[in-house]
Amino acid sequence: MFTGIRNRWTKDVINTRIDIVDRINKIADNMGSTSLQFILNFEAVTCVIPGIRNLKQLQSNIKASDYVLSKEKHDQIEALYENYIKDLYTPW
């Protein structure tokens, strides 16, 4: 019986993921919108198909496409990935 992906993670993996989210939240105004904006910033990307659970998330996702992520924030997220996230053990 499937009880959720998080049940497979160790306490260390959960804490690592919490730390990643905390670090991204220091850069992002809104995690969901910033994530979508970051992905849409790449020339090769023409659309993003995010998951949604409710109307508020849908509206937020649609609104995210109205804005462009600043180069500064884009660079900060890329640097966070390159300097911290890339080498972490964060299994699916």
Side-chain angles (χ1 to χ4, degrees), residues 32-83:
S33 294
T34 300
S35 300
L36 295 174
Q37 292 166 2
F38 180 81
I39 295 166
L40 288 168
N41 245 1
F42 291 93
E43 205 171 296
V45 176
T46 57
C47 91
V48 178
I49 305 172
I52 58 166
R53 292 187 178 188
N54 55 51
L55 182 59
K56 184 178 178 184
Q57 286 179 349
L58 173 62
Q59 291 167 332
S60 178
N61 289 350
I62 292 169
K63 191 175 179 183
S65 66
D66 291 340
Y67 303 99
V68 176
L69 189 66
S70 71
K71 180 171 176 17
E72 177 186 3
K73 286 191 181 195
H74 182 97
D75 291 348
Q76 288 176 326
I77 294 168
E78 279 194 338
L80 176 62
Y81 175 77
E82 286 296 327
N83 299 321

